[in-house]
Amino acid sequence: MMGDAIKLLYEKAAGRIDARDTERATLLSWPNPKIEVDGDPYPYESESLVFADYLQEREIEVTFDVIEPAPTMMKGKLLIPSPLEVGDRLLVSRMTGQRYYVLGKER
């Protein structure tokens, strides 16, 4: 019974990111990203990095229904800037080869 419980726990945890899978890095430049991973001797350029979608600048097309003064529809775009700034501390995960996935910012 204990073996079954351990096996079930292992199956639930497989593929999850935990503290052992993450590393810390510093953002050296933005929007042409370059990061320096703690303990690595050289920085990683943009071609070695993959950023989570919510960390990138986004453009969203929107439609507004305006009621007053006269009913009309307005279309436009909302620009959501990236929350990243040079000097930010980042949480990164090493992918295959010398590539990193940037998970988010440290607080």
Side-chain angles (χ1 to χ4, degrees):
M1 188 159 128
M2 182 63 120
D4 292 337
I6 291 172
K7 184 179 175 183
L8 180 62
L9 182 62
Y10 179 79
E11 289 172 0
K12 288 185 92 175
R16 290 189 178 219
I17 295 174
D18 64 16
R20 294 173 298 189
D21 294 331
T22 59
E23 298 178 58
R24 297 328 189 248
T26 303
L27 185 63
L28 300 176
S29 67
W30 186 259
N32 186 15
K34 184 189 294 186
I35 65 168
E36 183 175 73
V37 178
D38 294 356
D40 282 358
Y42 52 89
Y44 292 89
E45 304 286 333
S46 60
E47 55 272 352
S48 301
L49 306 172
V50 177
F51 284 82
D53 285 341
Y54 77 95
L55 293 174
Q56 300 178 30
E57 182 176 277
R58 294 174 288 177
E59 191 174 281
I60 301 171
E61 291 190 22
V62 294
T63 303
F64 295 101
D65 289 327
V66 179
I67 297 172
E68 292 186 20
T72 186
M73 273 183 25
M74 297 177 72
K75 292 186 179 193
K77 294 181 182 182
L78 291 177
L79 182 64
I80 302 171
S82 170
L84 296 177
E85 296 177 2
V86 173
D88 282 346
R89 295 289 293 158
L90 306 173
L91 297 172
V92 297
S93 179
R94 191 178 299 263
M95 299 170 67
T96 57
Q98 289 297 312
R99 292 177 54 95
Y100 278 94
Y101 183 76
V102 180
L103 302 165
K105 289 174 39 171
E106 277 191 336
R107 296 199 184 235

